Amino acid sequence: MCVSELIALSVPDLTHVERDYLLEAFDSSWISSKGRFVAEFERRFAEFVGTEHAVSCTNGTAALHLALKACGVGPSDEVILPDLTYVSTANAVRYVDAQPVLADCDPDTWNMAPESVARLVTKQTKAIIAVHLLAVPADLEALRRIADEARCLLIEDAAEAPGARWAGMPAGSVGDASTFSFYGNKILTTGEGGMVCCHSEHLAARLRKLRGQAAHPDRHYWFDEVGYNYRMTNLACAIGLAQLSRFREIADKRAEVRSWYDEAFADIGDLVRLQVCPRKADPGWWMIGVVLDASLRANRDTVRERLQDAGIETRPFFAALSSLPIYEGCRTDNGSPVARFLGDRGIMLPTHTKLRRGDVSRVVDTLIAAIHQPVEMA
Ligand SMILES: Cc1ncc(COP(=O)(O)O)c(C=O)c1O
């Protein structure tokens, strides 16, 4: 098979607009974390999310770390997060020496189930992190209500979900703080990069201070606490500003790809399940995921190998955090059976703006053939 026939999982959508902005930043010689693109990208991103402030940083993991630290989460605090998420969400909780508590997921939307969160709240709960998995927003109204009743913080990990909305509210605008990632496979990319958004001026000032080594604002080389170097470069922010200016175009193309998948999967019945987007949600369609039904004998990893052999790149879902040795001791809601099942049976399919309708048909036809191929006996 020649390389041109490969269907990649993810390809960034970069044009002359990103190139022109990047070259402008380069030619200005402001290539570190000062320069016009940093302030401009932050200002425009805050407008886009609907928050007062946006503080750029090196990546989505640093954004989570900064958000938790600036919100005062620390030792002896518990933080509830979904068992099914990228490991960063839990790692950031550990960075501030707090305890991750792992909520189970909804079997249809695959997002953290509010009723599972409610069962896990204790007096130690300092924050709930809502992750908008694969850009389908979590139930922000229910999670906000639970956080308010428990008098704890709601933080949104919107790494995968810029542009998604719950009941008309942009992902990232409901939490006390929210975080985004601009990694190369994300809806908006800057190569590496991240953002923390919030409404509070006090919190934004804390985030900016911690991001820049906690340097004293008025006294040079004076540090009254331990901070971090999590600053984003002017170069990366230039790409980010260009991507943001093209957001509608990128989002529309992704929605079209999703509609091709929906069409191609229309007759497949219940053997392969797609993520359900609740009525109140407008999704961002980051990655298209499928979950192999329990009735199928086909093993998920064998199916992925068959797709790989046919030149189609895929990824398994995130493994449930509670199945990882580093997080297996965390408190869960009855062992998170749904997150465990999804983590074992889920496959992420190619999703990007360079796909053509024929590519999507090829992915789905190959997947259907792969799940029906007889299971080889050992
Ligand atoms: C849900 C979630 N949170 C956090 C991150 C971390 O972002 P980054 O890779 O930019 O550190 C990711 C990245 O894939 C993610 O999917």
Side-chain angles (χ1 to χ4, degrees), residues 83-272:
D83 202 333
L84 193 70
T85 178
Y86 187 51
V87 71
S88 296
T89 322
N91 284 351
V93 175
R94 282 274 168 84
Y95 296 166
V96 295
D97 294 319
Q99 280 308 316
V101 174
L102 306 173
D104 205 2
C105 305
D106 179 275
D108 297 323
T109 68
W110 309 342
N111 271 317
M112 184 160 75
E115 55 280 11
S116 178
V117 176
R119 282 193 287 273
L120 291 167
V121 168
T122 67
K123 287 197 164 46
Q124 268 65 52
T125 307
K126 177 80 178 202
I128 295 168
I129 305 182
V131 177
H132 306 303
L133 198 75
L134 311 187
V136 169
D139 184 340
L140 283 170
E141 288 163 301
L143 293 170
R144 181 77 264 179
R145 213 164 26 245
I146 295 169
D148 289 348
E149 275 165 21
R151 293 170 191 270
C152 74
L153 299 154
L154 177 66
I155 295 175
E156 289 178 67
D157 178 347
E160 302 171 359
R165 284 170 184 265
W166 179 268
M169 300 178 288
S173 68
V174 177
D176 298 282
S178 60
T179 63
F180 293 84
S181 163
F182 306 124
Y183 183 66
N185 64 6
K186 294 298 188 294
I187 296 173
L188 295 179
T189 184
T190 63
E192 294 275 5
M195 195 74 85
V196 189
C197 294
C198 62
H199 298 287
S200 149
E201 193 166 338
H202 172 74
L203 186 58
R206 281 290 295 146
L207 290 162
R208 289 184 202 286
K209 184 177 181 200
L210 289 167
R211 166 185 76 171
Q213 300 287 22
H216 194 278
D218 308 317
R219 198 169 160 190
H220 242 121
Y221 293 125
W222 191 257
F223 306 93
D224 52 9
E225 64 180 311
V226 175
Y228 311 91
N229 179 357
Y230 280 168
R231 295 181 300 262
M232 193 169 175
T233 66
N234 197 42
L235 298 173
C237 287
I239 301 175
L241 191 62
Q243 286 264 286
L244 199 52
S245 75
R246 298 184 49 244
F247 176 77
R248 203 54 272 154
E249 174 198 337
I250 295 172
D252 287 348
K253 279 201 240 166
R254 297 185 83 91
E256 187 174 31
V257 170
R258 168 68 193 208
S259 72
W260 294 336
Y261 270 110
D262 281 343
E263 253 173 58
F265 276 122
D267 298 326
I268 198 173
D270 285 343
L271 292 179
V272 163

